[in-house]
Amino acid sequence: DAGVIQSPRHEVTEMGQEVTLRCKPISGHNSLFWYRQTMMRGLELLIYFNNNVPIDDSGMPEDRFSAKMPNASFSTLKIQPSEPRDSAVYFCASSLSNTGELFFGEGSRLTVL
Amino acid sequence: AQSVTQLGSHVSVSEGALVLLRCNYSSSVPPYLFWYVQYPNQGLQLLLKYTTGATLVKGINGFEAEFKKSETSFHLTKPSAHMSDAAEYFCAVSEWGGSTLGRLYFGRGTQLTVWP
């Protein structure tokens, strides 16, 4: 079975550039989550969607971050402009129903120089 | 509001020894509780979960956890550690229903090292 698919797996970019991370959730799942993981702050929930609608974006660091979910099978997380402090591993996760059992992708490791 | 505290950011055990990873939570409603494991350069994988019913839950790879409401704890144990258990372990709590439907609150994680 296909799990949550994220791309790219690794991204190295320069400060000021736009970064777009992509996620394909598991088919049939109706909730999608974007997390950021760093050594300093651990796992942080950035935003989550339920039935393609953003439910809670209070974790989005600032206006440079935006996320969309145009349909049930695709989501993007965009950072514009990127900064070195955005360097982290970004995880997408999806779930079926609202029990909290999440299925994670393998993550996108972002390095901003 | 929900929160999770994992006591000990690093735990080291010898191969064959008991593994005990501690987790305490706070929740305003009956919680759903989870343990996830993360191997290097991978995403998190579900190890086990408690929703309702039996308070001792068994997961993959010989791990189990017991929900103790009176202690607001959900500690993870394994009788005999294996080298392949070396990973980072995350405890998480979810509330069923309410405005944060389905959201997971994660602890900071515990890095488990297994010595030969």
Side-chain angles (χ1 to χ4, degrees):
Chain A
D1 291 340
V4 175
I5 300 172
Q6 292 187 245
S7 64
R9 290 294 314 278
H10 301 274
E11 173 101 7
V12 180
T13 190
E14 293 187 346
M15 183 173 63
Q17 296 297 306
E18 177 179 296
V19 173
T20 300
L21 307 179
R22 298 172 177 80
C23 175
K24 177 179 170 57
I26 293 173
S27 177
H29 282 190
N30 61 351
S31 294
L32 183 140
F33 303 77
W34 282 101
Y35 283 88
R36 178 171 69 176
Q37 187 178 38
T38 61
M39 289 290 291
M40 291 294 293
R41 301 172 70 93
L43 269 170
E44 301 175 274
L45 177 64
L46 300 179
I47 184 171
Y48 76 100
F49 297 84
N50 191 256
N51 294 323
N52 310 340
V53 176
I55 302 300
D56 183 355
D57 65 354
S58 60
M60 297 286 261
E62 47 198 273
D63 291 346
R64 297 185 297 106
F65 285 69
S66 62
K68 294 182 179 180
M69 192 165 186
N71 56 63
S73 59
F74 184 66
S75 178
T76 60
L77 178 67
K78 185 175 293 186
I79 309 172
Q80 167 64 18
S82 59
E83 297 182 2
R85 60 191 167 127
D86 301 330
S87 298
V89 181
Y90 291 81
F91 287 102
C92 176
S94 68
S95 71
L96 176 64
S97 78
N98 298 310
T99 62
E101 181 178 348
L102 303 187
F103 294 80
F104 282 78
E106 294 192 319
S108 294
R109 181 176 295 276
L110 173 65
T111 303
V112 183
L113 303 175
Chain B
Q2 282 64 33
S3 68
V4 175
T5 302
Q6 291 185 240
L7 295 176
S9 58
H10 291 84
V11 170
S12 294
V13 300
S14 299
E15 193 171 21
L18 171 71
V19 175
L20 171 60
L21 305 183
R22 299 178 186 274
C23 173
N24 289 87
Y25 70 92
S26 67
S27 176
S28 56
V29 298
Y32 286 11
L33 296 160
F34 304 81
W35 276 98
Y36 282 82
V37 59
Q38 184 180 29
Y39 299 102
N41 300 314
Q42 295 187 24
L44 280 71
Q45 305 171 35
L46 182 66
L47 202 55
L48 50 79
K49 65 178 179 180
Y50 167 80
T51 53
T52 59
T55 56
L56 181 64
V57 293
K58 296 185 184 300
I60 60 173
N61 302 335
F63 284 93
E64 60 183 36
E66 186 171 12
F67 168 54
K68 293 186 176 181
K69 184 178 179 181
S70 61
E71 298 177 8
T72 60
S73 69
F74 191 57
H75 302 330
L76 181 71
T77 61
K78 182 174 180 177
S80 177
H82 191 274
M83 297 291 289
S84 61
D85 295 327
E88 188 154 21
Y89 293 79
F90 293 89
C91 183
V93 62
S94 169
E95 62 177 9
W96 174 247
S99 61
T100 57
L101 211 59
R103 176 177 175 165
L104 269 185
Y105 297 80
F106 283 95
R108 288 301 305 269
T110 298
Q111 182 67 45
L112 176 66
T113 300
V114 182
W115 301 102

